[in-house]
Amino acid sequence: MIDIDKYLEQLKSPRLQLAISIQTRLITYIREFLLEASFKEILPVIISPVTDPLTDYRVRGEVECYGFKYQITKSMIFHKQLALHTAPRIFCFSPNVRIETADRQNTGRHLIEFVQLDLEIRQANREEIIKLGEGLFSTVISRIKQDAWADLKTIKRELPYFEPPFKKITYEQAVKTYGQNFELKLSEELSEPAWLIDFPLEEREFYDRQDETRPGTLVDMDLIYPGGYGEALSGGEREYELEKIKSRIRLKGIDLDSYDLYLKLAERGLYPSAGFGFGLERLTRFVCGFQDIADVRLFAKKPGVYGL
Ligand code: ASP
Ligand code: MG
């Protein structure tokens, strides 16, 4: 059950107030940066017949309307690809619901409902997306340091400036150095953000594009925060050709029928593209230097915990 007194105390806490004021600035900087770079902002999709499979999250959030089954958005990946028919560069502050297992309750960085900055660019390759991500991240950090220095001082957060280009580490190197659960160990050792690239095919969803010259390796990436804050964003180039998409879906053991509508649209042509999804609460947590992501999120819902 929810402890109402504790709940109200959290809502009124100066720590949360400060985080929300920082987050308001971060959203503004992101939007300004992307509008300046000729992006169009699209509105989020919350229910749809198709969403990101993200097969890690076993529970499917479903709602039935008028006898039709909709899924609650895990990510807007397919809508991003489709939105490129409308505009060549798009972004969205998109709510995602990922029903994580309860053992992730106290990681400090998992919420079952969160918002990510989702963006996608027609005809882009990974290198361009990496450049854009570095530019966006370093600009946002340098602006928040300048504008919110008093707030950052209150919470004793000393943020450095980060100068792109950021280092790149392959998945293979990361596993060799830190073992299978490398993400946090790598993040703890970093003093600047770094790109983790070239995930093996079986580690990711079917929409990340396979490198034709290196079968089994994807043209994708994560950005990892320094200081032990873990993953900032995930993205990559996308599969856009019907037969390749189908064979990747099959390889995952997923029934083609469940992507029927998406496949019909893909058959009519998708643009080659690349993009990423960048967790907003995690960015705010990193900027504030807080341990617990619930301290930057109103109405936080942690895995396994009942929330409002
Ligand atoms: N769909 C990915 C995710 O939400 C992000 C992306 O590749 O754009 O994790
Ligand atoms: Mg990810």
Side-chain angles (χ1 to χ4, degrees), residues 81-287:
Q81 286 182 292
L82 294 168
L84 295 181
H85 286 303
T86 313
R89 296 157 83 81
I90 54 105
F91 75 97
C92 182
F93 290 104
S94 157
N96 289 200
V97 173
R98 300 183 187 178
I99 306 176
E100 308 264 2
T101 48
D103 59 323
R104 287 183 162 175
Q105 198 171 104
N106 296 314
T107 61
R109 59 186 202 287
H110 287 97
L111 293 171
I112 66 162
E113 177 186 55
F114 66 93
V115 174
Q116 65 178 351
L117 163 69
D118 245 325
L119 62 78
E120 199 73 18
I121 304 181
R122 243 189 235 171
Q123 313 287 0
N125 60 27
R126 178 172 65 184
E127 209 39 52
E128 291 168 64
I129 288 290
I130 283 183
K131 277 221 172 69
L132 181 95
E134 293 175 337
L136 173 66
F137 183 70
S138 52
T139 302
V140 163
I141 297 296
S142 100
R143 289 191 69 184
I144 199 77
K145 269 173 68 72
Q146 263 174 27
D147 298 350
W149 63 270
D151 278 350
L152 293 172
K153 198 166 163 212
T154 306
I155 52 176
K156 300 192 171 58
R157 175 61 164 153
E158 282 177 31
L159 270 176
Y161 286 104
F162 299 115
E163 196 60 50
F166 302 153
K167 189 168 78 175
K168 293 190 185 82
I169 304 160
T170 65
Y171 179 96
E172 204 181 333
Q173 283 169 329
V175 173
K176 244 188 225 149
T177 318
Y178 305 100
Q180 277 302 329
N181 290 322
F182 54 79
E183 184 190 310
L184 278 188
K185 285 181 213 141
L186 167 64
S187 176
E188 273 157 18
E189 275 197 8
L190 291 173
S191 54
E192 334 197 301
W195 295 102
L196 196 56
I197 58 167
D198 292 353
F199 283 73
L201 185 140
E202 59 279 5
E203 285 293 314
R204 303 283 262 215
E205 305 308 323
F206 68 77
Y207 50 77
D208 279 0
R209 199 172 74 77
Q210 182 167 203
D211 188 337
E212 265 137 46
T213 61
R214 293 182 303 162
T217 302
L218 302 174
V219 195
D220 64 353
M221 75 287 173
D222 272 10
L223 181 67
I224 306 294
Y225 286 122
Y229 291 89
E231 176 197 321
L233 68 78
S234 296
E237 295 180 19
R238 317 299 186 187
E239 295 292 359
Y240 61 96
E241 292 151 300
L242 182 67
E243 287 315 314
K244 288 187 182 160
I245 298 174
K246 277 186 173 167
S247 88
R248 294 288 303 281
I249 295 180
R250 281 198 210 96
L251 211 60
K252 283 276 173 198
I254 300 173
D255 186 4
L256 283 182
D257 284 351
S258 54
Y259 283 93
D260 182 50
L261 208 48
Y262 172 65
L263 291 171
K264 281 195 175 111
L265 287 157
E267 191 175 4
R268 305 287 288 270
L270 290 172
Y271 283 102
S273 71
F276 59 66
F278 193 165
L280 200 57
E281 292 89 341
R282 286 182 176 185
L283 174 63
T284 313
R285 170 183 179 247
F286 172 74
V287 167

Side-chain angles (χ1 to χ4, degrees), residues 23-44 91-94 115 117 119 136 139-140 143 280 283:
Q23 188 169 78
T24 303
R25 292 183 192 271
L26 296 173
I27 292 170
T28 308
Y29 304 152
I30 292 170
R31 190 171 265 132
E32 284 177 4
F33 182 94
L34 294 175
L35 294 178
E36 182 72 19
S38 305
F39 279 79
K40 295 280 186 288
E41 181 167 0
I42 64 168
L43 297 179
F91 75 97
C92 182
F93 290 104
S94 157
V115 174
L117 163 69
L119 62 78
L136 173 66
T139 302
V140 163
R143 289 191 69 184
L280 200 57
L283 174 63

Side-chain angles (χ1 to χ4, degrees), residues 51-57 74 77-78 205-207 254 259:
T51 192
D52 197 325
L54 286 166
T55 34
D56 268 18
Y57 313 108
K74 288 185 202 160
I77 179 68
F78 306 125
E205 305 308 323
F206 68 77
Y207 50 77
I254 300 173
Y259 283 93

